[in-house]
Amino acid sequence: MKVEALIFNVIALFCIIAAAVYGFWSREPIGTTALVLSGGLTGLIGGFFWFVSRRIDARPEDRKDADIAEGAGELGFFPPASYWPFALAASAGLMGLALAFWYSWLILIALAALLITIGGLLFEFYVGQNAQQS
């Protein structure tokens, strides 16, 4: 996690420096604000990775003396196939369209679609044939 924290924090530092230079030269507030917010968001992610890296043992990716074989093994569970990400993207796109044109009826429909697809994605492996029996 230390490598990931370093990458994100370097990007955050670059965005903040670029925002200062861009803001000084252009005197344009929109781009400066976008760069500052980008730096803040990447700094937030970098800070999270740094915080997590202090609490876990060093992974092979974090050590310079590690061998490739140390990273072998099971990496976790990944679903074989799922339609929920596509449905979530479609409902998020519908929400963006509804907000762009400010159709209150479409905002309500998109909100319902978003809640359903988020719930479907989160609980995909807790219902039906994928549910674990206790």
Side-chain angles (χ1 to χ4, degrees):
M1 288 280 179
K2 291 182 182 180
V3 174
E4 292 90 345
L6 179 66
I7 289 171
F8 276 98
N9 287 330
V10 166
I11 292 171
L13 182 66
F14 171 78
C15 287
I16 297 298
I17 292 171
V21 171
Y22 182 80
F24 178 73
W25 275 348
S26 71
R27 307 234 188 269
E28 194 264 323
I30 304 300
T32 307
T33 304
L35 283 168
V36 168
L37 290 176
S38 296
L41 290 175
T42 53
L44 183 72
I45 296 168
F48 172 75
F49 283 150
W50 175 75
F51 183 74
V52 169
S53 72
R54 293 182 344 170
R55 300 197 182 285
I56 63 173
D57 294 332
R59 302 175 305 160
E61 295 89 353
D62 295 330
R63 296 189 346 253
K64 293 184 187 229
D65 63 338
D67 291 328
I68 293 174
E70 291 182 48
E74 187 171 330
L75 298 176
F77 173 73
F78 300 97
S82 176
Y83 292 110
W84 287 110
F86 177 75
L88 184 61
S91 61
L94 184 65
M95 178 60 88
L97 187 69
L99 289 172
F101 291 107
W102 201 251
Y103 292 149
S104 57
W105 58 273
L106 192 56
I107 291 173
L108 293 175
I109 293 172
L111 181 65
L114 270 173
L115 291 175
I116 290 169
T117 54
I118 289 171
L121 184 66
L122 288 176
F123 298 113
E124 179 176 16
F125 294 102
Y126 294 104
V127 295
Q129 66 183 9
N130 300 316
Q132 296 177 357
Q133 303 298 324
S134 55

